[in-house]
Coordinates of all heavy atoms in Angstrom, one line a residue:
I1 N 0.8 -1.2 0.0 CA 0.0 0.0 0.0 C 0.9 1.3 0.0 O 0.6 2.2 -0.7 CB -0.9 0.0 1.2 CG1 -2.0 -1.1 1.1 CG2 -1.6 1.3 1.4 CD1 -2.8 -1.3 2.3
R2 N 2.0 1.2 0.8 CA 2.8 2.4 0.9 C 3.4 2.8 -0.4 O 3.6 4.0 -0.7 CB 4.0 2.0 1.8 CG 4.9 3.2 2.2 CD 6.0 2.8 3.2 NE 6.7 3.9 3.6 CZ 8.0 3.9 4.1 NH1 8.6 2.7 4.2 NH2 8.6 5.0 4.5
I3 N 3.7 1.9 -1.3 CA 4.2 2.3 -2.6 C 3.2 2.1 -3.8 O 3.6 2.2 -5.0 CB 5.5 1.4 -2.9 CG1 5.2 0.0 -3.0 CG2 6.6 1.7 -1.9 CD1 6.3 -0.9 -3.5
D4 N 2.0 1.9 -3.5 CA 0.9 1.8 -4.5 C 1.3 0.7 -5.5 O 1.1 0.9 -6.7 CB 0.7 3.1 -5.2 CG 0.1 4.2 -4.3 OD1 -0.7 3.8 -3.4 OD2 0.4 5.4 -4.5
L5 N 1.7 -0.4 -5.0 CA 2.2 -1.5 -5.9 C 1.0 -2.2 -6.6 O 1.1 -2.4 -7.8 CB 2.9 -2.6 -5.0 CG 3.5 -3.7 -5.8 CD1 4.6 -3.2 -6.8 CD2 4.1 -4.8 -4.9
L6 N -0.1 -2.4 -5.8 CA -1.3 -3.0 -6.4 C -2.5 -2.1 -6.0 O -2.3 -1.1 -5.4 CB -1.5 -4.4 -5.9 CG -0.3 -5.4 -6.2 CD1 -0.6 -6.8 -5.5 CD2 -0.2 -5.6 -7.7
N7 N -3.7 -2.6 -6.4 CA -4.9 -1.8 -6.1 C -5.0 -1.6 -4.6 O -5.1 -2.6 -3.8 CB -6.1 -2.6 -6.6 CG -7.4 -1.8 -6.4 OD1 -7.9 -1.7 -5.3 ND2 -8.0 -1.3 -7.5
V8 N -5.0 -0.4 -4.2 CA -4.9 0.0 -2.8 C -6.2 -0.5 -2.0 O -6.1 -1.0 -0.9 CB -4.7 1.5 -2.6 CG1 -4.8 1.9 -1.1 CG2 -3.3 1.9 -3.1
K9 N -7.4 -0.3 -2.6 CA -8.6 -0.7 -2.0 C -8.7 -2.2 -1.8 O -9.1 -2.7 -0.7 CB -9.8 -0.2 -2.8 CG -10.0 1.3 -2.8 CD -11.3 1.7 -3.6 CE -11.5 3.2 -3.5 NZ -12.6 3.6 -4.4
A10 N -8.2 -3.0 -2.8 CA -8.2 -4.4 -2.7 C -7.2 -4.9 -1.6 O -7.4 -5.8 -0.9 CB -7.9 -5.1 -4.0
L11 N -6.1 -4.2 -1.5 CA -5.1 -4.5 -0.5 C -5.6 -4.2 0.9 O -5.4 -5.0 1.8 CB -3.8 -3.7 -0.8 CG -2.9 -4.2 -1.9 CD1 -1.8 -3.1 -2.2 CD2 -2.3 -5.5 -1.6
A12 N -6.3 -3.1 1.0 CA -6.9 -2.7 2.3 C -7.9 -3.7 2.8 O -8.0 -4.1 3.9 CB -7.5 -1.3 2.2
Y13 N -8.7 -4.2 1.8 CA -9.7 -5.3 2.1 C -9.0 -6.5 2.6 O -9.4 -7.2 3.5 CB -10.6 -5.5 0.9 CG -11.6 -6.6 1.2 CD1 -12.8 -6.3 1.9 CD2 -11.4 -7.9 0.8 CE1 -13.7 -7.3 2.2 CE2 -12.3 -8.9 1.1 CZ -13.5 -8.6 1.8 OH -14.4 -9.6 2.1
N14 N -8.0 -6.9 1.8 CA -7.2 -8.1 2.2 C -6.6 -8.0 3.5 O -6.5 -9.0 4.3 CB -6.1 -8.3 1.1 CG -5.4 -9.6 1.3 OD1 -4.4 -9.7 2.0 ND2 -5.9 -10.7 0.6
L15 N -6.1 -6.8 3.9 CA -5.5 -6.6 5.2 C -6.5 -6.9 6.3 O -6.1 -7.3 7.4 CB -5.0 -5.1 5.2 CG -4.2 -4.7 6.5 CD1 -2.9 -5.5 6.6 CD2 -3.9 -3.2 6.4
L16 N -7.7 -6.6 6.1 CA -8.8 -6.8 7.1 C -9.3 -8.3 7.0 O -9.4 -8.9 8.0 CB -10.0 -5.9 6.8 CG -11.2 -6.1 7.7 CD1 -11.0 -5.9 9.1 CD2 -12.4 -5.3 7.2
A17 N -9.5 -8.8 5.8 CA -10.2 -10.1 5.6 C -9.3 -11.3 6.1 O -9.9 -12.2 6.7 CB -10.6 -10.2 4.2
V18 N -8.1 -11.2 5.8 CA -7.2 -12.4 6.1 C -7.2 -12.6 7.7 O -7.4 -13.8 8.1 CB -5.8 -12.3 5.5 CG1 -4.9 -13.3 6.1 CG2 -5.9 -12.4 4.0
P19 N -6.9 -11.6 8.5 CA -6.9 -11.9 9.9 C -8.3 -12.3 10.4 O -8.4 -13.2 11.3 CB -6.6 -10.5 10.6 CG -5.8 -9.8 9.5 CD -6.5 -10.2 8.2
V20 N -9.4 -11.8 9.8 CA -10.8 -12.2 10.2 C -11.0 -13.7 9.9 O -11.5 -14.4 10.8 CB -11.8 -11.3 9.5 CG1 -13.2 -11.9 9.7 CG2 -11.8 -9.9 10.0
V21 N -10.6 -14.1 8.7 CA -10.8 -15.6 8.4 C -9.9 -16.4 9.3 O -10.4 -17.5 9.7 CB -10.5 -15.8 6.9 CG1 -9.0 -15.9 6.6 CG2 -11.2 -17.1 6.5
Y22 N -8.7 -16.0 9.7 CA -7.9 -16.8 10.6 C -8.6 -16.9 12.0 O -8.7 -18.0 12.5 CB -6.6 -16.1 10.8 CG -5.5 -16.7 9.9 CD1 -5.4 -16.4 8.6 CD2 -4.5 -17.5 10.4 CE1 -4.4 -16.9 7.8 CE2 -3.5 -18.0 9.7 CZ -3.5 -17.7 8.3 OH -2.5 -18.3 7.5
L23 N -9.1 -15.8 12.5 CA -9.8 -15.8 13.8 C -11.0 -16.7 13.8 O -11.2 -17.6 14.7 CB -10.2 -14.4 14.1 CG -11.1 -14.2 15.4 CD1 -10.2 -14.7 16.6 CD2 -11.5 -12.8 15.6
L24 N -11.9 -16.6 12.7 CA -13.1 -17.4 12.6 C -12.7 -18.9 12.5 O -13.4 -19.8 13.1 CB -13.9 -17.0 11.5 CG -14.6 -15.6 11.6 CD1 -15.4 -15.2 10.4 CD2 -15.6 -15.6 12.8
V25 N -11.7 -19.2 11.7 CA -11.4 -20.6 11.5 C -10.8 -21.2 12.7 O -11.0 -22.4 13.1 CB -10.4 -20.8 10.3 CG1 -9.8 -22.2 10.2 CG2 -11.1 -20.4 9.0
I26 N -10.0 -20.5 13.5 CA -9.5 -20.9 14.8 C -10.6 -21.3 15.7 O -10.6 -22.4 16.3 CB -8.6 -19.9 15.4 CG1 -7.2 -19.8 14.7 CG2 -8.3 -20.2 16.9 CD1 -6.3 -18.7 15.1
I27 N -11.6 -20.5 15.8 CA -12.8 -20.7 16.6 C -13.6 -21.9 16.1 O -13.9 -22.8 16.8 CB -13.7 -19.5 16.7 CG1 -13.0 -18.3 17.4 CG2 -15.0 -19.8 17.5 CD1 -13.7 -17.0 17.4
Q28 N -13.8 -21.9 14.8 CA -14.6 -23.0 14.2 C -14.0 -24.4 14.4 O -14.7 -25.3 14.7 CB -14.8 -22.7 12.7 CG -15.4 -23.8 11.9 CD -14.8 -24.0 10.5 OE1 -14.4 -23.0 9.9 NE2 -14.8 -25.2 10.0
R29 N -12.7 -24.5 14.2 CA -12.0 -25.8 14.2 C -11.7 -26.2 15.6 O -11.6 -27.4 15.9 CB -10.8 -25.7 13.4 CG -11.0 -25.7 11.9 CD -9.6 -25.6 11.2 NE -9.8 -25.5 9.7 CZ -8.8 -25.4 8.9 NH1 -7.6 -25.2 9.3 NH2 -9.0 -25.3 7.6
N30 N -11.4 -25.3 16.5 CA -10.8 -25.7 17.8 C -11.6 -25.3 19.1 O -11.1 -25.5 20.2 CB -9.4 -25.0 17.9 CG -8.6 -25.3 16.7 OD1 -8.3 -26.5 16.4 ND2 -8.2 -24.3 15.9
E31 N -12.8 -24.8 18.9 CA -13.6 -24.3 20.0 C -13.7 -25.3 21.2 O -13.6 -25.0 22.3 CB -14.9 -23.9 19.6 CG -15.7 -23.1 20.6 CD -17.1 -22.6 20.1 OE1 -17.4 -23.0 18.9 OE2 -17.7 -21.9 20.8
N32 N -14.0 -26.6 20.8 CA -14.2 -27.6 21.8 C -13.0 -28.6 22.1 O -13.2 -29.5 22.8 CB -15.5 -28.4 21.5 CG -16.7 -27.6 21.4 OD1 -16.9 -26.7 22.3 ND2 -17.5 -27.7 20.4
R33 N -11.9 -28.3 21.5 CA -10.7 -29.1 21.6 C -10.0 -28.8 22.9 O -9.9 -27.6 23.3 CB -9.8 -29.0 20.5 CG -10.3 -29.5 19.2 CD -9.3 -29.5 18.1 NE -9.8 -30.0 16.8 CZ -9.1 -30.0 15.7 NH1 -7.9 -29.6 15.7 NH2 -9.7 -30.5 14.6
P34 N -9.4 -29.8 23.6 CA -8.7 -29.5 24.8 C -7.5 -28.6 24.5 O -6.8 -28.8 23.5 CB -8.3 -30.9 25.3 CG -8.4 -31.8 24.1 CD -9.5 -31.2 23.3
S35 N -7.1 -27.7 25.4 CA -6.0 -26.8 25.2 C -5.3 -26.5 26.5 O -5.9 -26.5 27.6 CB -6.5 -25.5 24.5 OG -5.5 -24.5 24.5
D36 N -4.0 -26.2 26.4 CA -3.2 -25.8 27.6 C -3.3 -24.3 27.7 O -2.6 -23.7 28.5 CB -1.8 -26.3 27.6 CG -1.0 -25.9 26.3 OD1 -1.4 -24.9 25.7 OD2 -0.1 -26.6 26.0
W37 N -4.1 -23.6 26.8 CA -4.2 -22.2 26.9 C -5.7 -21.9 26.7 O -6.5 -22.7 27.1 CB -3.3 -21.6 25.8 CG -3.1 -20.1 25.9 CD1 -2.5 -19.5 27.0 CD2 -3.4 -19.1 25.0 NE1 -2.5 -18.1 26.8 CE2 -3.0 -17.9 25.5 CE3 -3.9 -19.1 23.7 CZ2 -3.1 -16.7 24.9 CZ3 -4.0 -17.9 23.0 CH2 -3.6 -16.7 23.6

């Protein structure tokens, strides 16, 4: 984004969407699994 390498709006969306999908998938897959944390 800093150097306008690719479409800035698409990059901004990707910057938000990828962490969101990680968070949701972590909850979806592991919510009821035993954990030491």
Side-chain angles (χ1 to χ4, degrees):
I1 293 172
R2 188 180 185 200
I3 61 171
D4 293 327
L5 185 64
L6 300 177
N7 184 285
V8 172
K9 290 180 179 178
L11 285 170
Y13 179 79
N14 187 271
L15 186 63
L16 171 66
V18 170
V20 169
V21 77
Y22 264 76
L23 176 62
L24 290 176
V25 169
I26 285 171
I27 295 170
Q28 172 217 329
R29 290 181 180 171
N30 306 301
E31 189 176 7
N32 297 317
R33 292 184 180 180
S35 171
D36 57 26
W37 196 55

